[in-house]
Amino acid sequence: MKKLELASLAPRRAKLIIDPNQVEARLRDLHPDLTPLLLRDAIVAGLGARNEVTRASAPTAAGVQQWLVTVESLRTFLAKMHWKIHEHQNCPFISSPESEISIVVMTGNSETGKDGFDDPTNQAEKGAVAESYVQKNFNQLELFNNDALKVAESKAKETQVWALLYHYDKSLNQLRFELSLPTGFSRRKITQWGERLIFGIVSNDPQDFTISKDDPSAPATVDVVPKKGAF
């Protein structure tokens, strides 16, 4: 009996998708514009920015520049396909034209991007904005899990927020990343995920490292949405 009680207290692990074909198919289910290559290009652009810092840069410059450029690249790529750039309390989002899915970029801990003993969590602490969208994700997931169809249908138009989570492993000189659905939040950290799509490793070996360059003759058409009413 005690064992059952302990098991019931254990955190529920996320649904994990690792096979590349299944990951690509699931991305298409989320939205036709989403592809592994698009997400990888945003991640690689951020890694390139990390590599551009010098000894004269501030100690935190590498991580900050990597995050800034990853955010900018992802939002630029998707804005070309008419996704909406917007912020909520200075948190940068990119949302599909139908507002069915939104993506936020964040750094993750060492469990990011792999099938490890534990699910990952965000590295930098998050506040009320993250807590709000994680709670909404959880509520939507619970509605469908409990077969509350009438209520679920009424909530179907609510935006589901996914996290493009990445971790730079200094010891291995590589970057791992995933697109995952946060569904649990406690003490300024994401504690649970409903689903995790795992992508391959990006090597930071100079011999392997390349950055995709945008075509300068094809300027982006960017839709910018005011902050208020984003979520």
Side-chain angles (χ1 to χ4, degrees), residues 3 15 19 26 29 31 39 56 73 105 114 134 139 142 149 158 163-164 167 175 194 199 207-208 212 222:
K3 289 183 179 180
K15 176 183 178 183
D19 178 79
R26 181 61 178 126
D29 286 342
H31 197 279
L39 298 180
S73 298
V105 177
K114 63 182 183 181
V134 171
N139 290 342
E142 286 299 296
L149 295 180
E158 286 192 5
L164 181 59
H167 175 76
L175 186 146
F199 299 90
Q207 295 180 350
D208 301 331
S212 299
V222 178

Side-chain angles (χ1 to χ4, degrees), residues 63-82:
V64 171
Q65 290 300 322
Q66 181 177 5
W67 181 80
L68 290 173
V69 173
T70 303
V71 170
E72 181 179 5
S73 298
L74 178 69
R75 300 212 293 179
T76 298
F77 296 157
L78 288 172
K80 291 179 180 180
M81 292 178 278
H82 306 291

Side-chain angles (χ1 to χ4, degrees), residues 47 50-51 109-114 167-177 200-209:
L47 186 55
R50 181 186 188 93
N51 291 336
N109 68 356
S110 60
E111 296 297 327
T112 300
K114 63 182 183 181
H167 175 76
Y168 181 70
D169 192 322
K170 293 182 180 179
S171 62
L172 297 176
N173 204 27
Q174 62 182 214
L175 186 146
R176 299 185 299 274
F177 68 106
I201 292 169
V202 178
S203 172
N204 201 26
D205 188 315
Q207 295 180 350
D208 301 331
F209 188 69

Side-chain angles (χ1 to χ4, degrees), residues 22-23 37 89 91 101 104 155 166 170 173 185 204 218-219 228:
Q22 294 180 9
V23 168
L37 181 59
Q89 296 182 19
C91 184
I101 180 173
V104 62
K155 299 285 186 178
Y166 68 84
K170 293 182 180 179
N173 204 27
F185 189 89
N204 201 26
K228 66 177 183 179

